[in-house]
Amino acid sequence: MQILVKCPKCDAGLPVLAAEAPAAITCGGCGRDIPLAYSEPVRDGRAVDRCPVCNGADFYIRKDFDPTLGLAVVIIGALISAAFYWFGRDLIAYSILGAAALIDLVIYGRLKDLTVCYRCHTEFRGTHPPTAPAFDLHTADVLEQEYERKIGRR
Ligand SMILES: [Zn+2]
Ligand SMILES: [Zn+2]
């Protein structure tokens, strides 16, 4: 399992391999030491039950989607279709736009699930079964505030 630890201080993303399980990492952005406490399922890559960063047990699932990639496909598709449109080939222009949208859909469908910690936004990528529920805004509000009070951000 690959863990992308989010620094509580500056939000930098710090990749960690759960199998190697370092007891602490130092943030490359702000120099803060972040202690990590793994549960056994996390270290073995079987499940995400407890967050090694904030000790929270609330997670949600989202698609591991790179928004810039999806946007690039749409923009390139729009540019090419604009060129065809310019030369009066409307039909080709529209089909290219449609194809770009379709490619986006295909990319989205093939994406892996990503488990995210509600409190500290640490991300977990791996082969563990996606047992966490989908994102819930209310839960996120409550848990993020609780965590930020705990680490003294508010
Ligand atoms: Zn930092
Ligand atoms: Zn966490």
Side-chain angles (χ1 to χ4, degrees), residues 86-101:
W86 181 258
F87 290 110
R89 307 282 174 113
D90 307 29
L91 212 62
I92 299 175
Y94 289 131
S95 27
I96 289 172
L97 264 186

Side-chain angles (χ1 to χ4, degrees), residues 83-125:
F84 277 104
Y85 197 77
W86 181 258
F87 290 110
R89 307 282 174 113
D90 307 29
L91 212 62
I92 299 175
Y94 289 131
S95 27
I96 289 172
L97 264 186
L102 213 65
I103 291 170
D104 255 21
L105 266 182
V106 170
I107 293 176
Y108 193 79
R110 295 178 59 116
L111 289 171
K112 294 227 169 102
D113 286 322
L114 173 71
T115 307
V116 188
C117 173
Y118 264 120
R119 290 180 174 83
C120 67
H121 303 149
T122 289
E123 297 168 0
F124 304 82
R125 289 177 176 82

